[in-house]
Amino acid sequence: MDITTLRELRLSQRELLRLFNKVFRYDYVDLPLLETLTVLDPNYRDDDLYLALENGEVRSIVFLGLMRMRIPKDLEERFKGLAWLKAVGCVNNSAPHLDKLLEYVEDRLRCLGFTKVLVYGYSPWYLAPGPDVRYEEVIRVLRKRSYSLFTAPVDYLGEEAEGGGRTVDYLVDMEHFYVPNNVIEKRRMLEEQGYKFEDVHGPAVEEVANWVEKHFGFVWATETRLSGKRPWAGVVVARKLGGGIAGFAVYGATTVYRFGPIGTEAAERGKGVGTVLLYEALMRIRLSGVRIAVIPWTGHLFFYAGVPGVCGIRKYFIFQKKLS
């Protein structure tokens, strides 16, 4: 078995895209998502992607996420000594290759001074929240190597960790999606009270991102800013009478079919603002030509379960390990 990196292997973008979809067979990696994982991640280097080969064929992948960008000082302590594995996978019957590759990467991280690792939990430049529960070989290898479910009440990115090491995606079949009459009526009533709902995209997203950072933190603000860089993406914003922001819902930030994040100001909750934002953002995904939309990485089961067209749930584990 040989271990190499993407830099050494020199795969083209097309070859890398096909490789990801071969190894991560329960994930659907399109070009926008691949760009999110690589060139749009300010921390990305092509020698962070490690591959195990047998007779020239890739058998397993471990993709590091190391925080190299400037971050708020209040998060520096949370990130101290932490590395992410933002993608871990292997083709069928390749558990031994993944085991050896993980051992190699862990040794490298120890040499670099890292003391703990998270698999995945790497928002917003993520393949998925964590390994899909159907990747049985991957999960078996992780547990063999003493990885455990992430259990901290607040995650390393400073957001509430809903469900700890277990989380889900909702899949929405947009052929059956529609805006219910009660949501249409709710929007009408809010507009009569002076609320306005508008679509923000491009450079104008920065104003919204600054508000999001103040109310919801660095990670959600970073994902909001990412939407301003994608031609299909944007933010639906609810504004109060007078122009102040009451809430927001991002669509298409990491790839065209993904929804979120979404949030409303604490004083505005319970009025239906978030519900209207949810449907407005999902409708924009539908109008982008998407067939299956994804509401990712959530524990708010009741809020999303009633969306017309919900056709499936994907379940994930997020793992952690101390290296010292």
Side-chain angles (χ1 to χ4, degrees):
M1 188 188 91
D2 299 312
I3 293 176
T4 187
T5 66
L6 178 61
R7 178 176 296 178
E8 295 166 337
L9 203 57
R10 297 185 178 182
L11 296 179
S12 68
Q13 191 177 52
R14 175 179 294 188
E15 290 170 327
L16 185 60
L17 181 66
R18 291 176 175 175
L19 176 61
F20 263 76
N21 282 295
K22 177 182 178 181
V23 173
F24 300 100
R25 56 194 177 278
Y26 299 123
D27 295 283
Y28 295 88
V29 183
D30 56 11
L31 184 56
L33 182 54
L34 183 65
E35 290 175 341
T36 298
L37 294 169
T38 55
V39 295
L40 289 180
D41 180 356
N43 307 295
Y44 167 71
R45 293 180 183 173
D46 56 6
D47 58 354
D48 287 337
L49 202 166
Y50 292 86
L51 309 102
L53 286 75
E54 189 72 53
N55 297 322
E57 180 183 352
V58 175
R59 303 301 296 273
S60 65
I61 289 175
V62 173
F63 197 174
L64 281 179
L66 304 180
M67 193 58 61
R68 298 184 174 101
M69 66 184 292
R70 297 183 66 179
I71 58 176
K73 289 190 178 295
D74 63 328
L75 291 182
E76 288 181 358
E77 190 61 32
R78 295 178 188 267
F79 285 34
K80 187 176 180 180
L82 175 66
W84 286 263
L85 306 184
K86 65 180 183 179
V88 177
C90 63
V91 298
N92 286 334
N93 303 313
S94 297
H97 299 80
L98 179 58
D99 189 13
K100 292 178 181 178
L101 184 57
L102 279 168
E103 181 181 15
Y104 177 85
V105 171
E106 289 170 16
D107 286 343
R108 294 275 295 174
L109 290 172
R110 289 188 187 95
C111 290
L112 292 171
F114 290 95
T115 58
K116 49 187 176 281
V117 62
L118 205 61
V119 187
Y120 306 167
Y122 187 71
S123 178
W125 309 285
Y126 62 98
L127 171 69
D132 188 299
V133 298
R134 292 171 292 178
Y135 290 125
E136 294 179 358
E137 279 191 271
V138 172
I139 292 169
R140 187 163 58 247
V141 171
L142 289 170
R143 285 178 168 154
K144 174 190 172 186
R145 299 197 58 78
S146 301
Y147 286 82
S148 60
L149 280 183
F150 179 68
T151 56
V154 178
D155 76 17
Y156 289 111
L157 294 176
E159 310 294 342
E160 292 297 323
E162 301 162 1
R166 297 179 176 88
T167 189
V168 302
D169 285 356
Y170 275 103
L171 309 182
V172 184
D173 185 342
M174 302 309 277
E175 182 177 351
H176 303 290
F177 172 76
Y178 62 91
V179 181
N181 288 333
N182 68 303
V183 178
I184 295 172
E185 177 64 15
K186 194 166 292 185
R187 172 170 178 160
R188 185 190 65 78
M189 293 175 62
L190 287 167
E191 288 177 334
E192 287 180 352
Q193 297 169 32
Y195 290 86
K196 293 183 179 180
F197 296 88
E198 62 183 41
D199 198 19
V200 179
H201 48 84
V205 165
E206 185 61 24
E207 177 215 353
V208 184
N210 290 336
W211 181 89
V212 172
E213 185 158 7
K214 177 181 177 182
H215 292 273
F216 296 95
F218 169 75
V219 178
W220 281 17
T222 301
E223 192 160 358
T224 303
R225 289 188 175 96
L226 187 58
S227 73
K229 300 177 181 179
R230 321 303 286 266
W232 58 81
V235 189
V236 182
V237 176
R239 293 191 183 274
K240 300 174 283 188
L241 189 66
I245 296 175
F248 77 108
V250 176
Y251 61 92
T254 57
T255 191
V256 65
Y257 55 79
R258 273 186 184 163
F259 164 86
I262 180 173
T264 55
E265 188 179 15
E268 299 295 327
R269 292 169 192 164
K271 301 178 181 179
V273 173
T275 299
V276 174
L277 288 169
L278 167 65
Y279 281 88
E280 289 290 325
L282 285 174
M283 181 56 73
R284 282 159 176 77
I285 293 175
R286 170 65 185 88
L287 296 178
S288 296
V290 168
R291 173 60 190 270
I292 302 295
V294 176
I295 301 172
W297 202 340
T298 183
H300 290 299
L301 305 184
F302 186 81
F303 184 59
Y304 297 117
V307 172
V310 168
C311 60
I313 296 176
R314 290 188 64 190
K315 297 182 286 185
Y316 305 93
F317 292 140
I318 301 174
F319 290 94
Q320 62 185 354
K321 180 178 179 177
K322 290 185 178 180
L323 298 177
S324 55

